Amino acid sequence: QVHLVQSGGGLVETGGSLRLSCAASGLTSSIFAWDWHRQAPGKERELVAEITSGGRSLYKDVAKDRFFISRDGAKNTLYLQMDNLKPEDTAVYYCSARWGVGPDQRYWGQGTQVSVSS
């Protein structure tokens, strides 16, 4: 079992920056990938970025060149640095920890609101 606690988020103006954090506890050695997802009102949850336990990262188009995913293994904390934020980035952001390849084989954080004003 892995427990994820998120922090960060809030309200920022267009072009601003935020950093999200996701502190993990429990059996983190069972996790092979760490993700950030987001869900905007009326839309499905979507993957934003992922980093594997080996440090390999991938970004969806919405995040490329503006977001940076990282993980501090010593602190067991996942981060998402978001720069040049746009109103369309407004959403609830969730971190997740994958222990299997199935879509449901992951643990979720509680979610944190990011709002970008125009």
Side-chain angles (χ1 to χ4, degrees), residues 1-5 22-31 34 76 96-99 106-109:
Q1 186 76 10
V2 173
H3 187 54
L4 304 175
V5 178
C22 174
S25 60
L27 195 60
T28 58
S29 60
S30 67
I31 304 303
W34 306 81
N76 262 334
S96 78
R98 298 178 60 189
W99 56 269
R106 61 177 78 235
Y107 302 101
W108 289 101

Tab-separated table of all heavy atoms in Angstrom, residues 1-5 22-31 34 76 96-99 106-109:
chain	number	residue	atom	x	y	z
A	1	GLN	N	0.847	-1.188	0.000
A	1	GLN	CA	0.000	0.000	0.000
A	1	GLN	C	0.883	1.239	0.000
A	1	GLN	O	1.912	1.292	0.671
A	1	GLN	CB	-0.904	0.014	1.245
A	1	GLN	CG	-1.927	1.115	1.276
A	1	GLN	CD	-3.106	0.854	0.360
A	1	GLN	OE1	-3.243	-0.252	-0.171
A	1	GLN	NE2	-3.939	1.858	0.149
A	2	VAL	N	0.487	2.227	-0.807
A	2	VAL	CA	1.203	3.501	-0.881
A	2	VAL	C	0.199	4.617	-0.640
A	2	VAL	O	-0.903	4.617	-1.197
A	2	VAL	CB	1.885	3.671	-2.252
A	2	VAL	CG1	2.472	5.063	-2.398
A	2	VAL	CG2	2.975	2.621	-2.440
A	3	HIS	N	0.589	5.570	0.170
A	3	HIS	CA	-0.264	6.718	0.479
A	3	HIS	C	0.367	7.962	-0.118
A	3	HIS	O	1.572	8.206	0.062
A	3	HIS	CB	-0.406	6.861	1.988
A	3	HIS	CG	-1.381	7.903	2.399
A	3	HIS	ND1	-2.688	7.928	1.950
A	3	HIS	CD2	-1.269	8.960	3.253
A	3	HIS	CE1	-3.325	8.954	2.493
A	3	HIS	NE2	-2.479	9.596	3.290
A	4	LEU	N	-0.436	8.749	-0.851
A	4	LEU	CA	0.059	9.940	-1.538
A	4	LEU	C	-0.644	11.176	-0.987
A	4	LEU	O	-1.879	11.214	-0.941
A	4	LEU	CB	-0.196	9.836	-3.045
A	4	LEU	CG	0.383	8.613	-3.745
A	4	LEU	CD1	-0.042	8.577	-5.212
A	4	LEU	CD2	1.906	8.606	-3.642
A	5	VAL	N	0.137	12.165	-0.595
A	5	VAL	CA	-0.415	13.414	-0.079
A	5	VAL	C	0.113	14.569	-0.910
A	5	VAL	O	1.327	14.790	-0.982
A	5	VAL	CB	-0.044	13.624	1.401
A	5	VAL	CG1	-0.591	14.955	1.895
A	5	VAL	CG2	-0.586	12.483	2.256
A	22	CYS	N	3.937	15.880	-4.261
A	22	CYS	CA	3.181	14.671	-3.931
A	22	CYS	C	4.100	13.788	-3.092
A	22	CYS	O	5.032	13.179	-3.619
A	22	CYS	CB	2.751	13.973	-5.217
A	22	CYS	SG	1.952	12.366	-5.000
A	23	ALA	N	3.848	13.760	-1.788
A	23	ALA	CA	4.681	12.992	-0.871
A	23	ALA	C	4.132	11.581	-0.730
A	23	ALA	O	2.939	11.398	-0.465
A	23	ALA	CB	4.730	13.678	0.489
A	24	ALA	N	5.007	10.613	-0.910
A	24	ALA	CA	4.601	9.215	-0.856
A	24	ALA	C	5.103	8.535	0.403
A	24	ALA	O	6.196	8.826	0.888
A	24	ALA	CB	5.132	8.475	-2.083
A	25	SER	N	4.320	7.635	0.904
A	25	SER	CA	4.730	6.814	2.045
A	25	SER	C	4.203	5.404	1.834
A	25	SER	O	3.262	5.186	1.077
A	25	SER	CB	4.201	7.393	3.359
A	25	SER	OG	2.791	7.442	3.357
A	26	GLY	N	4.838	4.461	2.506
A	26	GLY	CA	4.430	3.073	2.365
A	26	GLY	C	5.404	2.305	1.489
A	26	GLY	O	6.583	2.628	1.424
A	27	LEU	N	4.887	1.315	0.801
A	27	LEU	CA	5.708	0.401	0.016
A	27	LEU	C	6.040	1.010	-1.356
A	27	LEU	O	5.629	0.508	-2.404
A	27	LEU	CB	4.987	-0.937	-0.148
A	27	LEU	CG	5.831	-2.114	-0.629
A	27	LEU	CD1	6.974	-2.403	0.342
A	27	LEU	CD2	4.944	-3.344	-0.794
A	28	THR	N	6.812	2.084	-1.346
A	28	THR	CA	7.125	2.785	-2.601
A	28	THR	C	8.042	1.980	-3.509
A	28	THR	O	8.128	2.261	-4.703
A	28	THR	CB	7.734	4.159	-2.316
A	28	THR	OG1	8.906	3.982	-1.513
A	28	THR	CG2	6.747	5.056	-1.584
A	29	SER	N	8.729	0.981	-2.967
A	29	SER	CA	9.589	0.145	-3.803
A	29	SER	C	8.781	-0.674	-4.805
A	29	SER	O	9.326	-1.180	-5.789
A	29	SER	CB	10.424	-0.783	-2.927
A	29	SER	OG	9.580	-1.630	-2.156
A	30	SER	N	7.483	-0.784	-4.597
A	30	SER	CA	6.617	-1.526	-5.507
A	30	SER	C	6.182	-0.694	-6.710
A	30	SER	O	5.551	-1.226	-7.629
A	30	SER	CB	5.375	-2.017	-4.755
A	30	SER	OG	4.567	-0.917	-4.355
A	31	ILE	N	6.492	0.571	-6.711
A	31	ILE	CA	6.041	1.500	-7.747
A	31	ILE	C	7.071	1.575	-8.873
A	31	ILE	O	8.258	1.773	-8.616
A	31	ILE	CB	5.804	2.896	-7.165
A	31	ILE	CG1	4.816	2.817	-5.999
A	31	ILE	CG2	5.310	3.848	-8.254
A	31	ILE	CD1	3.478	2.186	-6.362
A	34	TRP	N	5.551	7.062	-11.796
A	34	TRP	CA	4.842	8.106	-11.069
A	34	TRP	C	4.281	9.098	-12.096
A	34	TRP	O	5.001	9.522	-12.994
A	34	TRP	CB	5.802	8.824	-10.118
A	34	TRP	CG	6.517	7.886	-9.196
A	34	TRP	CD1	7.624	7.129	-9.484
A	34	TRP	CD2	6.172	7.589	-7.847
A	34	TRP	NE1	7.975	6.387	-8.382
A	34	TRP	CE2	7.113	6.652	-7.365
A	34	TRP	CE3	5.174	8.045	-6.991
A	34	TRP	CZ2	7.075	6.150	-6.064
A	34	TRP	CZ3	5.136	7.549	-5.689
A	34	TRP	CH2	6.080	6.615	-5.241
A	76	ASN	N	11.117	10.828	-1.163
A	76	ASN	CA	9.917	10.130	-1.644
A	76	ASN	C	8.837	11.117	-2.076
A	76	ASN	O	7.652	10.950	-1.738
A	76	ASN	CB	9.357	9.197	-0.578
A	76	ASN	CG	9.798	7.763	-0.779
A	76	ASN	OD1	10.101	7.347	-1.900
A	76	ASN	ND2	9.840	6.996	0.298
A	96	SER	N	-0.260	10.138	-9.174
A	96	SER	CA	-0.555	8.713	-9.034
A	96	SER	C	0.726	7.909	-9.051
A	96	SER	O	1.743	8.358	-9.598
A	96	SER	CB	-1.506	8.223	-10.122
A	96	SER	OG	-0.831	8.033	-11.346
A	97	ALA	N	0.664	6.748	-8.466
A	97	ALA	CA	1.796	5.835	-8.398
A	97	ALA	C	1.346	4.505	-8.968
A	97	ALA	O	0.404	3.890	-8.454
A	97	ALA	CB	2.252	5.678	-6.949
A	98	ARG	N	2.007	4.070	-10.021
A	98	ARG	CA	1.615	2.851	-10.720
A	98	ARG	C	2.358	1.643	-10.179
A	98	ARG	O	3.578	1.627	-10.139
A	98	ARG	CB	1.886	3.005	-12.213
A	98	ARG	CG	1.100	4.114	-12.879
A	98	ARG	CD	1.466	4.237	-14.351
A	98	ARG	NE	1.183	3.003	-15.071
A	98	ARG	CZ	1.556	2.775	-16.326
A	98	ARG	NH1	2.238	3.696	-16.981
A	98	ARG	NH2	1.263	1.651	-16.919
A	99	TRP	N	1.603	0.611	-9.806
A	99	TRP	CA	2.215	-0.631	-9.366
A	99	TRP	C	1.982	-1.759	-10.340
A	99	TRP	O	2.533	-2.852	-10.188
A	99	TRP	CB	1.726	-1.021	-7.969
A	99	TRP	CG	0.232	-1.129	-7.835
A	99	TRP	CD1	-0.637	-0.145	-7.477
A	99	TRP	CD2	-0.576	-2.291	-8.056
A	99	TRP	NE1	-1.924	-0.599	-7.462
A	99	TRP	CE2	-1.925	-1.920	-7.811
A	99	TRP	CE3	-0.300	-3.607	-8.439
A	99	TRP	CZ2	-2.981	-2.820	-7.931
A	99	TRP	CZ3	-1.346	-4.510	-8.558
A	99	TRP	CH2	-2.664	-4.103	-8.314
A	106	ARG	N	-3.026	1.547	-9.753
A	106	ARG	CA	-2.291	2.726	-9.300
A	106	ARG	C	-2.939	3.254	-8.040
A	106	ARG	O	-4.103	3.008	-7.741
A	106	ARG	CB	-2.279	3.804	-10.371
A	106	ARG	CG	-3.658	4.313	-10.777
A	106	ARG	CD	-3.565	5.444	-11.802
A	106	ARG	NE	-3.290	4.965	-13.151
A	106	ARG	CZ	-2.282	5.387	-13.897
A	106	ARG	NH1	-1.443	6.273	-13.421
A	106	ARG	NH2	-2.119	4.932	-15.109
A	107	TYR	N	-2.154	4.008	-7.302
A	107	TYR	CA	-2.654	4.738	-6.140
A	107	TYR	C	-2.807	6.203	-6.554
A	107	TYR	O	-2.044	6.698	-7.385
A	107	TYR	CB	-1.676	4.640	-4.970
A	107	TYR	CG	-1.381	3.226	-4.535
A	107	TYR	CD1	-0.205	2.590	-4.917
A	107	TYR	CD2	-2.279	2.519	-3.735
A	107	TYR	CE1	0.080	1.297	-4.510
A	107	TYR	CE2	-2.006	1.225	-3.334
A	107	TYR	CZ	-0.826	0.611	-3.725
A	107	TYR	OH	-0.561	-0.671	-3.338
A	108	TRP	N	-3.762	6.874	-5.930
A	108	TRP	CA	-4.021	8.278	-6.277
A	108	TRP	C	-3.826	9.198	-5.088
A	108	TRP	O	-4.121	8.815	-3.941
A	108	TRP	CB	-5.470	8.434	-6.744
A	108	TRP	CG	-5.766	7.831	-8.080
A	108	TRP	CD1	-6.384	6.641	-8.324
A	108	TRP	CD2	-5.473	8.391	-9.366
A	108	TRP	NE1	-6.493	6.426	-9.674
A	108	TRP	CE2	-5.951	7.486	-10.344
A	108	TRP	CE3	-4.860	9.566	-9.796
A	108	TRP	CZ2	-5.824	7.718	-11.711
A	108	TRP	CZ3	-4.740	9.792	-11.149
A	108	TRP	CH2	-5.216	8.883	-12.088
A	109	GLY	N	-3.343	10.409	-5.390
A	109	GLY	CA	-3.370	11.463	-4.393
A	109	GLY	C	-4.763	12.051	-4.298
A	109	GLY	O	-5.663	11.689	-5.063
